Amino acid sequence: MSSDQSYTSLPTSHLLGSVPAVIGEEKATSAAHIPEANLQIFPPNSNGGGRQGYQTMAGSSEGDGQQFANSWKGVFSISSYTQYFNVDTDVVLNRVTSSLFPSGDFFSKIDANPDLYGLVWISTTLVFVIASLGNCATYLMQKRSISNNSWSFDVSYINMAAGAVYGYALLVPMVFYFLLQYLGSNVSLVRFWCMWGYSLSVFIFSSFLLVIPVEFIRWTIILIAGAASASFVTLNLRSYSQMNDLTVVLVAACVLQYGLAFFIKMWFFA
């Protein structure tokens, strides 16, 4: 009997297959609740108790991720750009007139509502105008000459016009935007796109006059159109060069506008 009592008094918790006592389970359960309670109050919330602090951290991370996702979705969403097409006919005509008679205050006119409608509409119109009228001018020049070569519509004019006009209207403002930002000026890419888009409107009106089959008149017209477009761009860019010496930037913008004018003349109305 004494031997049995000695066996029963031995600790059995360390033996394989042994069943722990009920009181041990209760202690383990209560001990497991302590770190969980500590996790719930981290990080602390300034507005309330521990559990709210824990939920605030999760909600903040989810909100940041959702906001980050929405910001990237906005770049590829058409609804994000609807605000830049919220213009009526009077506003567009007023801005076209300002580009034809440049005064240097175009940015102040579009400051409250810069639009991309002029960029899209004017560029597309210019593409079809110079492509169609360029073929017409080629026909008139060939008919006026002595040669009896047959004339055919050159469809490649449309491809060349689209690549040149859209590329110029989109890429050139972006180059000047990054350049001026690098030089320390506070600029807006949408305003640059708006300005350069309206600077092309003078070439639409001049293209109808370039159909005249007289080379001297054509060169006079394109020089006047290039001067008007270059003046419009440089006068408005000058507002960003008041605090910095950006003469080189203004000269580059002027040269590019004249380069576009000469390209239209030499390629489509030669």
Side-chain angles (χ1 to χ4, degrees):
M1 186 70 178
S2 61
S3 61
D4 294 340
Q5 292 178 353
S6 62
Y7 284 120
T8 55
S9 62
L10 293 176
T12 58
S13 60
H14 66 283
L15 298 178
L16 294 176
S18 61
V19 179
V22 177
I23 187 172
E25 292 181 355
E26 294 178 353
K27 291 181 179 180
T29 305
S30 59
H33 280 291
I34 297 175
E36 183 180 359
N38 291 335
L39 287 175
Q40 289 180 354
I41 62 174
F42 181 81
N45 188 4
S46 59
N47 295 329
R51 191 171 182 81
Q52 292 179 354
Y54 179 77
Q55 292 177 349
T56 301
M57 183 180 68
S60 176
S61 61
E62 292 176 0
D64 294 340
Q66 185 178 3
Q67 183 178 2
F68 180 78
N70 291 337
S71 62
W72 276 104
K73 289 180 181 179
V75 177
F76 303 99
S77 176
I78 299 177
S79 60
S80 301
Y81 301 95
T82 55
Q83 57 178 328
Y84 300 118
F85 293 85
N86 186 23
V87 289
D88 54 16
T89 305
D90 295 334
V91 173
V92 173
L93 291 178
N94 184 23
R95 295 178 180 182
V96 170
T97 305
S98 300
S99 66
L100 298 177
F101 304 97
S103 59
D105 59 345
F106 186 76
F107 284 122
S108 62
K109 293 182 179 180
I110 67 172
D111 188 51
N113 185 25
D115 70 279
L116 297 179
Y117 179 82
L119 174 70
V120 176
W121 174 75
I122 293 173
S123 300
T124 304
T125 304
L126 181 60
V127 167
F128 287 99
V129 165
I130 62 178
S132 57
L133 295 181
N135 276 281
C136 182
T138 304
Y139 169 76
L140 293 177
M141 290 294 291
Q142 186 172 345
K143 185 177 180 180
R144 190 169 179 265
S145 63
I146 303 175
S147 62
N148 295 323
N149 297 330
S150 60
W151 175 85
S152 60
F153 187 88
D154 194 350
V155 184
S156 64
Y157 275 19
I158 298 179
N159 298 330
M160 180 57 66
V165 173
Y166 288 134
Y168 186 89
L170 292 175
L171 296 180
V172 170
M174 290 181 65
V175 171
F176 278 89
Y177 166 75
F178 289 114
L179 178 61
L180 290 176
Q181 267 205 335
Y182 175 77
L183 295 176
S185 298
N186 186 15
V187 294
S188 170
L189 181 57
V190 175
R191 286 172 173 79
F192 273 20
W193 271 334
C194 180
M195 182 193 67
W196 254 281
Y198 282 99
S199 71
L200 303 178
S201 59
V202 65
F203 296 116
I204 297 177
F205 300 104
S206 62
S207 297
F208 289 93
L209 299 177
L210 291 175
V211 179
I212 301 173
V214 179
E215 197 67 13
F216 174 76
I217 297 178
R218 287 182 174 180
W219 277 110
T220 304
I221 292 171
I222 202 64
L223 286 174
I224 296 174
S229 181
S231 300
F232 173 70
V233 172
T234 53
L235 286 175
N236 288 282
L237 282 180
R238 192 175 60 181
S239 60
Y240 291 103
S241 63
Q242 294 177 355
M243 300 181 63
N244 300 320
D245 187 11
L246 302 178
T247 306
V248 178
V249 176
L250 300 180
V251 173
C254 182
V255 170
L256 286 174
Q257 293 300 114
Y258 269 110
L260 178 63
F262 292 154
F263 172 78
I264 293 175
K265 167 64 181 68
M266 298 299 295
W267 190 272
F268 300 98
F269 299 95

